[in-house]
Every structure is written in structure tokens, then in C-alpha cells.
Amino acid sequence: MTYHPFHTFGEDRPGRWLVTCDHATNTVPAEVAGGDLGLPPEDMARHIAYDPGAAGVSLALAELLDSPCICSNFSRLVIDPNRGEDDPTLLMKLYDGSIIPANRHAGQAEKERRLNLCYRPYHQEVARLAARQDDTIYVAIHSFTRQLRGRDPRPWHVGVLYAEDERFSAPLIERLHRETDLVVGANEPYGGHLDGDSVDRHATLHGRANVLIEVRNDLIETDQQQYDWAARLAPILEEVRAKADL
């Protein structure tokens, strides 16, 4: 069976949005360590391997926005598509207390092989989809764990991440704060800019309006929860787009 490092959905939909899910799956291609990074199944099911629930939210959101969606088809532990090629965390050897056995001795040659197998084809497809309309709005969907090992629980239900371009993120944060049942993080639980990350590469550098949304993964464990979050976010995104005149 031929391996495909990404899946594209709804390419022919006319909407202006492009919904991306960089960490959609915990798949390890057979071409990488025989399809097994040496971690136990419980680690491969954790946030260290992918963003649980994010793919379901992304697919439903794109459908509701009548726009395309692209999902990666490789674990972030194989190689992280949301890092620049020169980022030291591109190929993780230790993550949230877990050593990744198949990555411990991976050198530059192995990194290059994984870049060519997974990372570069994925980004080529993202670039193609982002360029299909002149006024694409780039929406990256991620999820985060409620608590890292040895850390305090995180209070946020959803986070909005951004860099210097706040055309979309600032009014979205303001709008989400009006949802009285949500604790909203601005550049939480992470900062919103890494040189060469996906938003930087496909939106910021091209002047495209953009936002990265992080949903806490215990809130999107089921298909219904994932759809409900997408159904909640879609009209809010459309409302913010109209109000920001984008």
C-alpha cells in the first residue's frame, strides 16, 4: 500500500478558509523504524504523539465553513510539521518525560529522509491549497493536554495563538471572551510564533490573515464533542471575519 503523508478534504469547496491540522494523527509510516518508534501504546495515544481530537474538529469545521481542510498523516514524533526545518525540536528525542527510542540515535541523514518522506510533501500541499485563492484565511487547529507531567493543570478551555499579525486573532479573542462558559487563553498555553512554523510559513510570510486555535483535548474526546466545538466555532469565525472586514 502506498503511503500518503497527508489527506486533503473538500478541495473544491468555494470558501475562503483553509483549515489545517498539523498534528492530526499518531501514524508512524512503515518506512520509519518499521512503523514503530518503540513507545508503548499509551504513549502513542498521548499528546506527545499527536493532537487528540483536533482532526475531527478540523474536518467538521472545514465542512461547516464550506472550505478545504488538510490533515497530516504522520506522528509529530516522526517529524514535527509545525516546526521549521532548522528547529532543534523538529525531531524529538525526549518529550514530556518519555524517551522516543527510535529517535535517540537519529542523525542528520535520518532527519533528511523523514523530511522528504513526510514533512516536505505535506507542506507542498498546504502551500498549494493556501494559494488557491488570493484572500485565503488560514486557520490552524490544534489541541493541548490539560496537564503536563509534573506541572499544574491548565485552566484554559481554548487558546488563540498569534504573532505580529493580529487582524484576525485580536477580534476573535475579544469575541470568545463573550462566551461566558469559556476560559480563553491569548497566546496560551503556548506562544504564538516560531520562525518557520506552519502559520509563519504559509500565512505570515504571505500576508494572509490567520489564527491558530488550541482546544483542550479532554473537551474533544468524542466525535460529538468534536462536532459541537466545530459548530460553535464556525459561526464565530464568520462573524469575526465580517466584523474585521477581511
Side-chain angles (χ1 to χ4, degrees), residues 185-208:
N187 270 347
E188 298 286 0
Y190 311 106
H193 177 73
L194 287 172
D195 287 337
D197 69 8
S198 294
V199 173
D200 183 52
R201 181 173 185 157
H202 299 293
T204 305
L205 293 178
H206 299 273
R208 295 181 179 119

Side-chain angles (χ1 to χ4, degrees), residues 103-123:
N103 292 355
R104 287 185 68 179
H105 305 295
Q108 186 58 42
E110 177 62 13
K111 181 189 292 186
E112 188 70 17
R113 198 174 71 82
R114 297 186 195 186
L115 283 167
N116 288 328
L117 176 69
C118 301
Y119 180 104
R120 289 171 180 151
Y122 171 73
H123 280 293

Side-chain angles (χ1 to χ4, degrees), residues 103-174:
N103 292 355
R104 287 185 68 179
H105 305 295
Q108 186 58 42
E110 177 62 13
K111 181 189 292 186
E112 188 70 17
R113 198 174 71 82
R114 297 186 195 186
L115 283 167
N116 288 328
L117 176 69
C118 301
Y119 180 104
R120 289 171 180 151
Y122 171 73
H123 280 293
Q124 288 167 4
E125 178 71 353
V126 176
R128 185 183 73 82
L129 292 168
R132 64 191 261 283
Q133 295 192 27
D134 292 336
D135 56 358
T136 295
I137 302 176
Y138 190 96
V139 180
I141 299 295
H142 292 255
S143 72
F144 65 97
T145 187
R146 184 168 186 267
Q147 187 171 15
L148 294 168
R149 287 177 173 174
R151 305 284 186 88
D152 292 333
R154 291 158 159 169
W156 310 284
H157 300 108
V158 62
V160 177
L161 276 55
Y162 56 91
E164 65 272 11
D165 182 358
E166 299 182 39
R167 286 177 293 167
F168 198 87
S169 58
L172 177 59
I173 291 167
E174 188 277 329

Side-chain angles (χ1 to χ4, degrees), residues 19-50:
V19 180
T20 68
C21 191
D22 289 339
H23 301 144
T25 178
N26 58 3
T27 298
V28 180
E31 295 88 342
V32 176
D36 187 347
L37 296 176
L39 286 168
E42 55 267 27
D43 265 345
M44 290 303 297
R46 291 205 301 135
H47 70 100
I48 66 170
Y50 75 123

